[in-house]
Amino acid sequence: PRHKCGNQRSCPTDHFAFKIISGAANVVGPSICFDDEILMSNVKNNIGRGLNIALVNGTSGQLLKTATFDMYSG
């Protein structure tokens, strides 16, 4: 069976599924999936070098904001 965000198991009904992939250098970019919706990825063109963060409402699961913090350039 298919589980949300491609996880190996389903989450309990009162929990959100998520998957965070860190990426690999300049070859594979990071991605963030939350409750079977891709929030950040190369395809959405909203990722960058450094920390990629998605702020999500913990009750509703609604995406509030995404941001990238470039830790290399200071």
Side-chain angles (χ1 to χ4, degrees):
R2 187 193 173 308
H3 304 290
K4 289 183 177 181
C5 292
N7 289 324
Q8 293 182 1
R9 294 184 297 187
S10 290
C11 294
T13 55
D14 58 342
H15 290 74
F16 291 111
F18 70 93
K19 188 174 206 175
I20 299 172
I21 299 173
S22 65
N26 293 335
V27 180
V28 178
S31 68
I32 299 174
C33 176
F34 184 82
D35 209 33
D36 223 19
E37 179 182 345
I38 301 296
L39 302 182
M40 300 183 81
S41 71
N42 276 337
V43 175
K44 295 190 92 149
N45 199 27
N46 63 350
I47 59 168
R49 177 176 70 181
L51 299 175
N52 293 277
I53 298 174
L55 179 62
V56 177
N57 181 306
T59 303
S60 69
Q62 177 187 12
L63 176 64
L64 301 174
K65 184 177 181 177
T66 61
T68 300
F69 298 96
D70 187 344
M71 302 298 289
Y72 181 76
S73 69

